[in-house]
Amino acid sequence: MNDLENKLKEIIDAELEKCHTSLYPNLCKIRNSKVGLERVYSAVRQIVIEKPMDIKSALAQYESSL
């Protein structure tokens, strides 16, 4: 894994640590599962590649797709 991917995971982890169930109800549930967390990393990475945006926006977009 490269440094950029590690940094992305760190930022996602930091955002999910502040997870509010009112804002991200589904993400807050799946973040505690290793498989769920890997899916979040993968999905957010794909979103950011397709449409450059900040991590909070990408998480919100992924949440709305769940």
Side-chain angles (χ1 to χ4, degrees):
M1 200 175 306
N2 65 35
D3 289 341
L4 189 55
E5 285 186 41
N6 286 331
K7 185 65 177 168
L8 179 64
K9 285 184 177 188
E10 287 175 19
I11 295 168
I12 292 169
D13 288 339
E15 285 301 319
L16 290 177
E17 282 179 24
K18 304 180 280 188
C19 200
H20 296 286
T21 54
S22 61
L23 187 59
Y24 303 128
N26 295 311
L27 286 175
C28 291
K29 288 179 191 172
I30 65 174
R31 74 174 175 179
N32 297 321
S33 151
K34 183 166 177 58
V35 172
L37 193 54
E38 287 300 323
R39 285 180 42 211
V40 172
Y41 293 149
S42 176
V44 170
R45 180 177 170 271
Q46 192 62 38
I47 291 168
V48 171
I49 288 171
E50 290 174 8
K51 262 190 188 172
M53 63 179 70
D54 63 45
I55 299 303
K56 282 185 180 182
S57 297
L59 286 168
Q61 184 171 329
Y62 183 60
E63 172 67 33
S64 69
S65 74
L66 295 174

